[in-house]
């Protein structure tokens, strides 16, 4: 078999869509969209009887809980909307790009990292407000409100969990992309 040569070359397809990249971007899109929609649609109104003194009639006051009333929840909703929009754009780019050039990969890693940080900061702010709503703060005389607005608090907690799943999707995008760059350098 000496002297037998083959002129067949193995050519790699120019289009390399990484399945994990598409899947994680899609999951980030779905989770952040669901979190933003859940927060935006959450509202609860309750009528509370308040007795000021014995002998006086009871007052019935109506209170409403909305995401717009707390700046941390506004930040949470806007951050998830930004992350969802970015996930949709980056998903379209990932699928449409013929191949990932090194510079494009680095830009995507940096943007994924920024979105991940944005989501985690919004999640932390919302969780802090949620804990105060759940337990109150006796040092500053903030009463707990989740015993009154229990549906509202459950919806906000579910939105927080969904957003955390979206955040973890972006963490995995960053980790896997950095590992992929490391392999390319070897």
């Amino acid at each position: 078999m000496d002297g037998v040569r083959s002129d067949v070359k193995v050519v790699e397809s120019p289009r390399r869509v990484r399945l994990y990249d598409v899947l994680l971007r899609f999951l980030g899109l779905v989770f952040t969209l669901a979190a933003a929609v859940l927060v935006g649609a959450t509202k609860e109104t309750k009528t509370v009887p308040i007795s000021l003194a014995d002998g006086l009639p009871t007052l019935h006051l109506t209170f409403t809980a909305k995401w717009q009333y707390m700046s941390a929840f506004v930040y949470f909703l806007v951050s998830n909307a930004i992350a969802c929009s970015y996930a949709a754009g980056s998903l379209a780019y990932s699928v449409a790009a013929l191949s990932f050039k090194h510079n494009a990969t680095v830009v995507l890693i940096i943007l994924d990292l920024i979105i991940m940080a944005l989501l985690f900061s919004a999640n932390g702010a919302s969780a802090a407000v949620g804990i105060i709503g759940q337990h109150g703060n006796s040092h500053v005389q903030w009463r707990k409100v989740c015993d009154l607005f229990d549906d509202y608090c459950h919806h906000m907690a579910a939105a927080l969990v969904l957003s955390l799943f979206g955040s973890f999707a972006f963490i995995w995008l960053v980790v896997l992309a950095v590992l992929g760059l490391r392999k390319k350098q070897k």
Side-chain angles (χ1 to χ4, degrees), residues 54-92:
D54 292 335
L56 290 177
T58 302
L59 297 174
H60 294 280
L61 300 176
T62 302
F63 295 100
T64 302
K66 290 183 179 179
W67 63 271
Q68 297 100 322
Y69 296 161
M70 293 295 297
S71 58
F73 294 151
V74 172
Y75 178 55
F76 180 82
L77 179 101
V78 170
S79 297
N80 275 283
I82 289 170
C84 178
S85 300
Y86 168 75
S90 66
L91 178 63

